[in-house]
Amino acid sequence: MARNKEKLVLLLDVGPSMHGVLSEVEKLCSMLVEKKLIFSKYDELGVVVFGTEESKNDLTTEVGGYQNITVLQDIKVVDGDLVDTLQKLPRGRVDGDFLDAIVVGMDMLIKKYKDLHKGKKRLCLITNAIHPIKDSFEGSKEDQVMTIAEQMAAQGMKIESIVVRGRLSRDANKGVMDENDHLLSIFSKKTHTRIVYVDTPTSLLGALKTRRVTPVTVFRGHLELSPHMKIKVWVYKKTQEEKFPTLKKYSEKAPASNKLATHQVKVSYEYKSVDGSSTSVIPPEQRIKGYRYGPQVVPISTAEWDAVKFKPEKGIKVLGFTDASKIKRHCYMKDVYLFIAEPGNTRATLAVSAIARAMKEMNAVAILRCVWRQGQQNVVVGVLTPNISQNYKIPDSFYFNVLPFAEDVREYQFPSFNSFPASWQPNDQQQKAADELVQMLDLAPSGKEALLPEFTPNPVLERFYRHLELKAKQPDAAVPPLDETLKNIVEPDPELVAENKSVFDALHRHFELRQNPKLKKSSRQWYQEKQSGSNAHVSSGQAVNSIENQPPVKIEKIGDLTPVQDFEAMMSQRDNPEWVEKAIKELREKILALLIHSDEGDKYQKAVECVAALRKGCILEQEPGPYNDLMHHIRQYCEEKGIKSLPQLLASRDLTLISNDVTAEEARSFFVKMEPKPDV
Amino acid sequence: MDLDPEDVFKDEEDDLDNEFFQQSESSKEYVVYLVDASPKMFNTTCAGNDQKDETHFHTAVSCVAGSLKTQIISRSYDEVAICFFNTREKKNLQDLNGVFVFNVAEREHLDRPTARLIKEFDCIEESFMREIGSQYGIVPGSRENSLYSALWVAQALLRKGSIKTADKRILLFTNEDDPFGSLQDAAKKDMTRTTLQRAKDAQDLGISIELLPLSRPDSEFNVSTFYADLIGLDGEDLAQFMPSASQKLEDMKDQLRKRMFTKRVVRRIEFQIANGLSIELNTYALIRPTVPGAITWLDSVTNHPLKTERSLICEDTGALIQEPPKLFQPYRNENVKFLPVEIAEIKRISPGKLRLLGFKPLSCLKDYYNLRPSTFVYPSDQDEITSAGAQMEPPGMHMIYLPYADDIRDDEEIFPDTEEDAPRADEDQIQKAAALIKRIYVKDFSAFQFANPALQRHYAVLQALALAEDDIPETIDETAPDEEGLTRPAVVRAAEAFKHSVYGDSYDEESDMGKEKMSEASRKRKAIAENAAKDYDWGNLADKGQLKNLTVGDLKVYLNAHNLTVSGKKEALISRILTHMGK
């Protein structure tokens, strides 16, 4: 661990023009230290601020000059005090000179470590670089930067510059900015440098990698194009999710007097057999692994398994190249790998570069079969896409994404939006409103991309580490609400929304969204209904209005106006099984009332609708009894009164008996019997 | 960071915070495979796998067999029944003619698929004629209606279980598009009507009936003759129903596979476009890694499953902890404690819904912006389609998880430690590479055409063990490269040209040089190890049983010097040394 100790000097601009973002700088830097305290406790850190009125650094005392630069903290192993220091950065009164600050920082590193620890020494500059640096005594500013950069390279130092621009530094002199940018870019020619431009407080928080992960190769070996053509490559992870830290469990059982208590909790697993009443713990050597195969569990010992399991050979093989359009973006399965040519191997780098560029030109991708390590039990099939480096210091490389196997894909069928009836299709105005929304809510206008993943910190992690720091001081502190900068990640930019108010208004106008009365039902039931294609529900829109998302009004009685709807609503009230019974009973009464009060059959149509609803309800509830009873009753009624039109109406709607109870034969012939034979 | 061999099968999304990805396993499916066994199914053939003609019956049966095998793997809680109709023999609870429910021992008619079912069903064709027999059940002059009976039997089988917890389906395989064709007017009309009513009643009970028609080469299966009414197709649906797709066995299998997936909504989520404007979406997990089922621990004596009990024990006092304990993170030399609710609060950064932040052009979506499989979203109700904006392609949208700054690494930037620029390929080299790429170009690649060889092997082994078979069938690794194709002269020539253009004549030296470098380093290490190994009188130490007094490092020196594995615990190392010495 110790050999990877990083030695970092933070160079922070605290001049007046930076005051607007200093609170973010404080958060960023304290987060850096907080994470170091957990993940790399032995790293060393120094803090230099520039733009202060006073000057306090070695160089100013030794050689003079280097004004307005204060060493806030000499290089030391990270500790809690550093967090406190960084959380209260002084506000400077003068415009600072970042180049002087760089020299001071270098001086600190050189004095402390001589030329040891090459590659572990790092400077991190946070400035807006909108103020001119002082002219040098000899040579141009470029020469001066060049000399410094060469020295830096010789000492094995790296520098990372975070330049705060855009909205955060509006009225700056463009000429000066360009000059400074040019000067900073000289560093990248000579040394390993990262220059980052950020323009929102949110992206500032994400600009600095607050946790250093030592890169580890996943694979070193040959990328096999064909048995005769192999290229040496190393494979790294390009993305890997930084997980929420796993917290340990805390035991409060130990008495408070016990000062040596570890408060640790041990998780123990016991395997017990469950034969009848007696339970006994089975020792590990008596356990055997089993896999489910249908209802069976197949026991298999590790040794047996080793003998028969799938054992692929280590290696990465190209299966073929194909058109990039064949691979859909959403098929990417996992985090991403990076393939680079073996470092220092010029020929391999050239080969990778040639293939990457050829692939780019042809819009092709390669399909690979990878076995990263010997003894790995599966293979990975994935797609290799070219990454043409924009920076001429960095060689071309590939990205590799894992693709799904046939077993991993569930091909659900969805109706195409285009095949929906015209009434469901957006009309021209709606389409226009939607198009406008897409256009206006552009997060990447003219190349300035907002919320770039590279600069967007994970709000959950930010919040956790901040709260951790707070809790270390105040154990009872409540979790504070999400602050403004982090809110920008989870909510739409209020400014953008305000600017485009008219677009949203148009959207509101054109899309009348209705509340969904069926929301209370379980989704499964709802789906079933949809599938069976019940047309009785056309009236309901699924879309909900988020604000007025109230449960539907409770129906307690079937009214005269909309008996069918009332019945359905009642049937779907799941809070009490009595509703179903009540609904069926009431609808039955309603139907009979309709028949009796019908004048020359004018209400038959309505009655038939009710019968249809009742039949459906009874089938769903698997209670055919009440329905069949009613039908018998209706038949009797019709026969007595000699009504012919109603049975015909019912028969035409296929409203026969439900055939669970009665034989199908009886159900079929129900109305046939009833229809008076024409010849009789 | 590195792939753990045990881990490769584990689903990374398996943590509890991630209910987003949790599949609801509570829902299961009851399926009845209804296979027509009429003589017509045996008489007509279609082009099979290797250009040999195969009977329709064979096609249907192998489809079902394939489907059963997938089911036992991926959804073993589903219950199935296999039912033939138009058979000579009858076997069903209702004792109806012409319907035969196929089953094996130790299994209910509608039950979870077992290894034995699969095994016996695999060889059903051999014994079919002898034991079940084929006979068309609908003949003029009798009131028998085998299709009607089959639907009845299937519906009766599916009476089990509540519709609220299970999907019930009948999958009907037939090549007869006009089952009542031989009948006269009145009888035909009556039969048609009763059969349709039977089907409709089943559908009213929540059973969906799906048709998998088989077409003859000379005449297509005409859905509209009869079956359109039975399965409730009309208008546009009818036009989209493509019976011709199932001319071949592979197509049929494919069709069945697609239908076997019932859509399972992972989660219903609200998509808020603007304040006061939101739509309900359903999310679906279309692509998720399939893993072999979890390990069940068994008692090796009785082969009974064991119950796992997890208990929390305080390390200081040994007391059992009942309530969910507080959590802590060591920080600044002390333990900062959190209540579980506080952790939940920290993680809750927004209400559980999707919010539209804005739009970006597709070019902003870099290839490396990926962490997990995507999730598919589709409006949860089709009544209101709110958008067909420029970036939303029917029939839905895919959600791709973007990484945060903390998740992205810049490993490609770590190496330029020289002042020189990184080497770039020149035009000629690129041309040669392009020529090589053209040679190994695959035109019709599909992203998921390969079966996972590890899984295939896993289940082949399990099936063999479950049926107590002696030899385990070989599985084919579909992912193996086409060695033969890659050694075609044209490919080799292109490869040589590219090799020459990049490596000059030194390709072979290059690869040798690397080896030498490596071996030099390892030789050095070995030499050191050997020297160190001489420092101890190993034999003497071993005799006196003093090996355990050495450190693991020292023991490894010996192992290294003798080319032995250095992994394992100290005891393992010692025993390995002793074995090596022959003691």
Side-chain angles (χ1 to χ4, degrees):
Chain A
M1 196 200 288
R3 70 196 162 97
N4 283 328
K5 277 191 292 185
E6 186 192 49
K7 294 94 178 59
L8 173 68
V9 175
L10 291 173
L11 310 169
L12 310 174
D13 190 345
V14 295
S17 57
M18 283 289 284
H19 287 185
V21 292
L22 270 187
S23 65
E24 263 68 47
V25 175
E26 283 169 351
K27 278 178 199 152
L28 176 65
C29 296
S30 45
M31 177 72 59
L32 178 82
V33 180
E34 281 159 27
K35 285 201 190 170
K36 276 186 187 299
L37 281 173
I38 295 171
F39 300 109
S40 37
K41 284 185 252 195
Y42 305 105
D43 279 5
E44 293 168 44
L45 185 85
V47 183
V48 176
V49 291
F50 59 104
T52 52
E53 248 178 315
E54 61 278 17
S55 313
K56 177 179 156 273
N57 61 65
D58 284 357
L59 287 180
T60 189
T61 36
E62 284 163 19
V63 297
Y66 299 100
Q67 297 296 314
N68 310 110
I69 296 173
T70 308
V71 177
L72 220 51
Q73 176 63 59
D74 273 322
I75 300 172
K76 68 166 179 179
V77 175
V78 286
D79 58 17
D81 299 341
L82 255 173
V83 181
D84 302 337
T85 313
L86 285 166
Q87 280 181 339
K88 302 188 293 277
L89 289 178
R91 302 299 193 255
R93 299 263 179 78
V94 278
D95 296 332
D97 179 331
F98 65 84
L99 199 61
D100 278 358
I102 291 175
V103 176
V104 169
M106 282 174 68
D107 175 62
M108 285 163 73
L109 285 172
I110 293 171
K111 281 198 177 120
K112 177 123 189 179
Y113 303 109
K114 312 290 183 294
D115 56 354
L116 298 169
H117 304 296
K118 283 213 166 106
K120 306 267 160 43
K121 289 176 285 188
R122 200 155 73 98
L123 292 166
C124 179
L125 172 72
I126 302 178
T127 179
N128 50 11
I130 55 169
H131 303 293
I133 60 165
K134 290 188 274 297
D135 286 318
S136 56
F137 302 111
E138 45 198 286
S140 64
K141 287 180 185 172
E142 273 111 24
D143 296 338
Q144 199 186 350
V145 173
M146 202 74 89
T147 330
I148 295 171
E150 268 162 21
Q151 177 66 13
M152 214 182 261
Q155 295 285 339
M157 280 182 211
K158 300 175 189 170
I159 180 164
E160 182 168 0
S161 318
I162 297 169
V163 183
V164 187
R165 283 285 164 78
R167 272 195 270 175
L168 302 175
S169 56
R170 273 209 187 86
D171 28 65
N173 182 335
K174 182 128 194 336
V176 178
M177 287 202 306
D178 289 346
E179 189 197 14
N180 284 337
D181 289 353
H182 171 67
L183 292 176
L184 281 173
S185 72
I186 293 175
F187 281 110
S188 65
K189 290 200 183 99
K190 288 286 160 198
T191 61
H192 173 63
T193 313
R194 218 171 94 103
I195 305 178
V196 184
Y197 291 90
V198 295
D199 54 3
T200 58
T202 314
S203 52
L204 175 60
L205 284 184
L208 185 64
K209 290 261 183 299
T210 42
R211 180 173 172 194
R212 201 167 39 84
V213 184
T214 323
V216 179
T217 50
V218 179
F219 174 89
R220 293 182 192 198
H222 287 116
L223 168 65
E224 213 178 301
L225 283 160
S226 79
H228 309 286
M229 175 71 223
K230 299 171 183 177
I231 303 171
K232 285 201 166 155
V233 291
W234 287 14
V235 181
Y236 287 96
K237 273 293 184 69
K238 175 65 188 171
T239 57
Q240 168 119 331
E241 189 172 348
E242 188 174 340
K243 291 261 164 68
F244 195 87
T246 323
L247 304 186
K248 290 186 185 129
K249 295 184 175 60
Y250 187 82
S251 160
E252 284 169 324
K253 296 277 183 202
S257 56
N258 185 355
K259 293 279 177 262
L260 294 170
T262 58
H263 298 289
Q264 304 261 7
V265 174
K266 196 174 149 224
V267 183
S268 86
Y269 290 94
E270 276 183 346
Y271 297 88
K272 291 181 176 171
S273 75
V274 277
D275 295 336
S277 54
S278 65
T279 55
S280 55
V281 178
I282 304 294
E285 60 276 8
Q286 205 191 317
R287 287 197 322 247
I288 186 167
K289 275 182 191 173
Y291 287 99
R292 278 197 178 281
Y293 190 71
Q296 251 175 303
V297 181
V298 182
I300 182 163
S301 70
T302 318
E304 265 181 292
W305 193 244
D306 283 343
V308 294
K309 71 183 178 194
F310 181 64
K311 285 172 281 226
E313 279 292 304
K314 173 185 171 175
I316 297 183
K317 291 181 170 140
V318 173
L319 299 182
F321 291 86
T322 190
D323 199 71
S325 61
K326 296 266 190 229
I327 310 294
K328 297 277 177 287
R329 179 62 172 79
H330 60 259
C331 286
Y332 293 3
M333 289 288 279
K334 279 178 68 180
D335 29 22
V336 186
Y337 296 88
L338 171 78
F339 277 57
I340 55 166
E342 184 182 52
N345 185 336
T346 321
R347 295 289 161 195
T349 315
L350 272 179
V352 167
S353 168
I355 291 172
R357 277 160 196 263
M359 276 161 72
K360 187 90 188 169
E361 267 175 33
M362 300 166 70
N363 196 26
V365 294
I367 308 300
L368 257 55
R369 171 194 196 264
C370 304
V371 180
W372 307 120
R373 303 182 309 132
Q374 198 62 48
Q376 187 179 315
Q377 286 177 32
N378 68 348
V379 296
V380 175
V381 170
V383 56
L384 197 69
T385 46
N387 169 35
I388 307 299
S389 167
Q390 300 303 323
N391 183 334
Y392 53 85
K393 297 287 277 188
I394 298 170
D396 295 331
S397 52
F398 296 111
Y399 294 126
F400 176 77
N401 270 290
V402 179
L403 290 178
F405 285 113
E407 290 93 339
D408 305 339
V409 180
R410 301 158 202 180
E411 289 170 270
Y412 300 156
Q413 315 264 297
F414 292 94
S416 159
F417 288 149
N418 289 331
S419 66
F420 286 145
S423 60
W424 294 358
Q425 299 284 353
N427 60 29
D428 286 352
Q429 283 138 354
Q430 289 175 327
Q431 184 63 58
K432 195 163 158 269
D435 285 351
E436 226 160 68
L437 178 77
V438 172
Q439 232 163 46
M440 298 314 289
L441 235 58
D442 192 356
L443 290 180
S446 61
K448 282 207 169 233
E449 191 182 341
L451 289 176
L452 195 71
E454 266 94 340
F455 297 145
T456 310
N458 184 339
V460 173
L461 293 180
E462 288 280 325
R463 209 175 179 199
F464 172 73
Y465 290 112
R466 282 182 204 176
H467 193 55
L468 179 67
E469 168 67 23
L470 185 66
K471 268 211 146 190
K473 288 176 190 152
Q474 308 166 32
D476 303 325
V479 183
L482 210 58
D483 79 354
E484 280 307 311
T485 7
L486 295 182
K487 242 188 188 150
N488 283 338
I489 303 170
V490 294
E491 279 175 23
D493 184 358
E495 254 178 69
L496 197 63
V497 173
E499 276 169 31
N500 296 303
K501 194 169 175 306
S502 62
V503 179
F504 284 112
D505 288 346
L507 209 61
H508 274 289
R509 257 198 323 280
H510 291 301
F511 292 98
E512 181 207 346
L513 295 182
R514 279 160 297 177
Q515 199 171 321
N516 172 21
K518 281 182 289 172
L519 208 64
K520 290 221 97 179
K521 287 190 192 180
S522 75
S523 64
R524 166 155 297 272
Q525 192 186 4
W526 163 81
Y527 185 68
Q528 286 292 343
E529 255 169 58
K530 268 291 133 193
Q531 263 206 330
S532 56
S534 60
N535 293 327
H537 293 286
V538 204
S539 59
S540 56
Q542 189 73 16
V544 284
N545 184 320
S546 66
I547 291 173
E548 295 161 295
N549 191 2
Q550 292 154 346
V553 185
K554 233 178 177 169
I555 306 284
E556 297 188 355
K557 201 171 157 40
I558 294 179
D560 284 331
L561 211 55
T562 55
V564 174
Q565 281 83 346
D566 290 354
F567 171 70
E568 274 163 7
M570 258 172 102
M571 293 288 278
S572 60
Q573 280 167 19
R574 289 270 157 242
D575 48 352
N576 191 340
E578 279 169 23
W579 285 120
V580 173
E581 206 179 306
K582 192 174 176 205
I584 292 176
K585 191 163 155 271
E586 288 204 2
L587 190 67
R588 184 192 147 96
E589 277 161 18
K590 192 64 62 188
I591 293 168
L592 291 178
L594 279 169
L595 293 186
I596 292 162
H597 298 125
S598 180
D599 187 16
E600 308 232 326
D602 59 343
K603 293 199 176 127
Y604 285 173
Q605 198 58 46
K606 195 166 185 177
V608 169
E609 291 304 327
C610 293
V611 171
L614 183 66
R615 185 173 199 271
K616 191 164 160 290
C618 286
I619 289 174
L620 277 178
E621 292 301 323
Q622 310 209 349
E623 279 190 36
Y627 172 80
N628 286 350
D629 284 353
L630 177 75
M631 293 311 279
H632 284 292
H633 188 91
I634 292 179
R635 188 169 74 172
Q636 208 179 351
Y637 177 82
C638 291
E639 273 169 1
E640 277 169 17
K641 305 259 165 172
I643 302 168
K644 288 175 194 167
S645 52
L646 182 63
Q648 277 165 9
L649 217 53
L650 289 170
S652 71
R653 293 280 304 266
D654 260 343
L655 294 171
T656 61
L657 294 183
I658 301 172
S659 54
N660 267 33
D661 270 15
V662 294
T663 64
E665 202 66 30
E666 192 186 335
R668 241 176 300 143
S669 55
F670 187 66
F671 282 114
V672 182
K673 254 193 264 165
M674 206 168 133
E675 280 168 45
K677 299 258 168 19
D679 52 337
V680 175
Chain B
M1 174 98 191
D2 233 16
L3 281 169
D4 184 275
E6 288 293 328
D7 260 344
V8 288
F9 279 135
K10 270 189 208 145
D11 193 350
E12 291 194 348
E13 318 306 336
D14 254 351
D15 63 41
L16 290 169
D17 310 326
N18 230 325
E19 85 264 39
F20 220 78
F21 286 103
Q22 296 290 306
Q23 273 278 43
S24 85
E25 292 298 344
S26 60
S27 60
K28 52 179 168 177
E29 205 173 72
Y30 297 128
V31 182
V32 175
Y33 294 99
L34 209 52
V35 182
D36 190 350
S38 66
K40 196 175 172 187
M41 288 289 281
F42 291 91
N43 295 340
T44 34
T45 54
C46 56
N49 254 352
D50 31 9
Q51 304 307 315
K52 259 192 285 177
D53 280 0
E54 281 161 350
T55 63
H56 276 160
F57 184 75
H58 173 80
T59 310
V61 165
S62 36
C63 277
V64 174
S67 175
L68 287 177
K69 279 177 195 157
T70 354
Q71 261 178 323
I72 199 167
I73 293 172
S74 51
R75 296 182 314 277
S76 78
Y77 288 95
D78 288 357
E79 301 191 4
V80 297
I82 303 163
C83 179
F84 296 103
F85 65 105
N86 290 328
T87 53
R88 192 183 64 229
E89 305 296 322
K90 62 177 174 181
K91 187 180 146 206
N92 57 71
L93 288 177
Q94 289 79 0
D95 207 34
L96 295 166
N97 282 331
V99 181
F100 192 97
V101 179
F102 176 82
N103 204 2
V104 294
E106 295 166 29
R107 196 176 167 276
E108 287 178 46
H109 287 310
L110 181 77
D111 204 346
R112 297 167 57 184
T114 60
R116 186 196 284 245
L117 179 76
I118 290 178
K119 170 110 170 140
E120 289 190 16
F121 190 73
D122 262 346
C123 37
I124 183 147
E125 276 180 276
E126 294 162 22
S127 60
F128 189 85
M129 278 307 169
R130 196 175 59 247
E131 282 165 19
I132 302 172
S134 163
Q135 184 181 351
Y136 196 58
I138 302 168
V139 282
S142 95
R143 287 195 56 82
E144 287 297 330
N145 180 345
S146 54
L147 181 61
Y148 177 86
S149 307
L151 287 172
W152 190 352
V153 169
Q155 188 190 327
L157 285 169
L158 289 170
R159 286 196 72 162
K160 184 176 177 181
S162 157
I163 176 166
K164 291 180 186 100
T165 55
D167 277 326
K168 297 181 177 181
R169 312 210 286 165
I170 298 173
L171 294 173
L172 180 65
F173 295 79
T174 184
N175 63 352
E176 178 59 79
D177 52 4
D178 190 10
F180 308 110
S182 62
L183 301 182
Q184 293 306 311
D185 281 348
K188 181 175 179 179
K189 214 174 137 197
D190 189 48
M191 286 249 184
T192 309
R193 200 172 52 87
T194 51
T195 311
L196 290 181
Q197 186 59 43
R198 164 61 55 197
K200 192 166 175 298
D201 284 346
Q203 280 156 345
D204 284 345
L205 286 169
I207 298 170
S208 63
I209 301 177
E210 292 182 38
L211 176 69
L212 288 120
L214 295 120
S215 288
R216 281 152 291 162
D218 46 335
S219 70
E220 221 172 61
F221 190 98
N222 189 352
V223 194
S224 37
T225 316
F226 169 74
Y227 277 102
D229 295 331
L230 185 105
I231 55 178
L233 287 182
D234 51 4
E236 229 166 309
D237 290 341
L238 188 60
Q240 282 182 357
F241 196 86
M242 291 173 298
S244 56
S246 51
Q247 289 253 358
K248 284 198 218 106
L249 173 67
E250 285 310 305
D251 293 342
M252 188 85 183
K253 276 191 174 158
D254 197 46
Q255 230 187 7
L256 179 62
R257 188 163 52 86
K258 285 184 182 165
R259 291 202 203 176
M260 282 317 293
F261 290 115
T262 32
K263 277 182 253 186
R264 281 177 186 164
V265 179
V266 177
R267 188 175 168 180
R268 181 186 278 264
I269 194 163
E270 196 182 320
F271 177 37
Q272 189 174 347
I273 297 169
N275 276 335
L277 186 68
S278 48
I279 42 179
E280 275 281 298
L281 297 174
N282 280 345
T283 62
Y284 301 88
L286 296 193
I287 301 177
R288 288 293 177 274
T290 305
V291 292
I295 291 169
T296 313
W297 285 103
L298 303 173
D299 182 339
S300 60
V301 179
T302 61
N303 271 354
H304 284 305
L306 298 176
K307 203 171 77 185
T308 312
E309 272 181 16
R310 177 175 172 271
S311 49
L312 303 177
I313 295 163
C314 170
E315 281 200 351
D316 301 317
T317 60
L320 217 62
I321 299 173
Q322 302 292 346
E323 71 281 7
K326 279 185 181 178
L327 303 164
F328 76 95
Q329 169 74 52
Y331 180 69
R332 288 193 178 199
N333 300 327
E334 54 183 308
N335 293 334
V336 180
K337 280 161 273 186
F338 291 91
L339 290 170
V341 286
E342 286 178 299
I343 297 294
E345 174 61 32
I346 289 174
K347 287 183 180 175
R348 192 165 53 239
I349 50 165
S350 80
K353 52 184 166 187
L354 297 178
R355 291 201 75 168
L356 174 69
L357 296 186
F359 299 88
K360 288 183 187 181
L362 258 182
S363 59
C364 286
L365 182 65
K366 301 279 191 301
D367 272 334
Y368 60 88
Y369 290 165
N370 209 69
L371 286 175
R372 299 169 180 173
S374 63
T375 296
F376 184 74
V377 296
Y378 194 83
S380 58
D381 185 90
Q382 291 94 340
D383 285 9
E384 190 86 16
I385 300 303
T386 24
S387 181
Q391 299 194 324
M392 303 174 187
E393 273 191 2
M397 291 182 281
H398 293 280
M399 276 202 298
I400 291 169
Y401 290 82
L402 295 177
Y404 284 115
D406 324 67
D407 310 328
I408 302 175
R409 300 174 179 184
D410 298 315
D411 289 341
E412 70 262 48
E413 294 179 16
I414 49 177
F415 289 108
D417 46 354
T418 52
E419 288 197 19
E420 289 156 36
D421 293 347
R424 286 279 185 273
D426 59 31
E427 207 42 51
D428 173 60
Q429 288 163 339
I430 295 174
Q431 286 311 318
K432 293 279 185 344
L436 176 62
I437 290 172
K438 275 201 194 94
R439 285 286 164 205
I440 29 184
Y441 212 74
V442 188
K443 281 222 168 52
D444 48 351
F445 179 82
S446 122
F448 30 85
Q449 65 184 24
F450 300 117
N452 185 344
L455 266 187
Q456 294 290 329
R457 182 79 193 153
H458 181 93
Y459 284 108
V461 170
L462 279 191
Q463 192 182 344
L465 287 173
L467 297 168
E469 281 172 359
D470 287 337
D471 33 284
I472 290 153
E474 279 304 307
T475 46
I476 308 152
D477 182 359
E478 295 171 8
T479 64
D482 173 18
E483 298 277 350
E484 205 176 303
L486 289 174
T487 45
R488 279 198 314 266
V491 178
V492 173
R493 261 202 310 281
E496 286 304 323
F498 174 62
K499 217 190 295 188
H500 186 79
S501 140
V502 173
Y503 289 85
D505 299 324
S506 60
Y507 176 76
D508 296 325
E509 289 166 33
E510 176 106 8
S511 48
D512 290 345
M513 205 179 71
K515 255 180 227 155
E516 226 160 75
K517 231 199 299 182
M518 286 294 284
S519 60
E520 201 179 317
S522 59
R523 253 208 311 275
K524 219 171 174 182
R525 215 179 302 139
K526 223 171 169 182
I528 296 171
E530 267 162 19
N531 281 335
K534 282 178 197 135
D535 291 352
Y536 293 108
D537 181 359
W538 291 94
N540 193 15
L541 282 172
D543 285 340
K544 290 183 182 158
Q546 284 172 343
L547 282 179
K548 61 179 191 299
N549 297 345
L550 301 181
T551 65
V552 170
D554 289 338
L555 295 174
K556 281 188 178 170
V557 164
Y558 179 91
L559 293 168
N560 265 327
H562 293 91
N563 273 335
L564 299 169
T565 11
V566 291
S567 60
K569 288 188 175 169
K570 189 169 181 177
E571 296 89 80
L573 302 187
I574 292 175
S575 73
R576 204 172 295 143
I577 293 175
L578 292 176
T579 333
H580 179 255
M581 289 173 167
K583 283 173 183 163

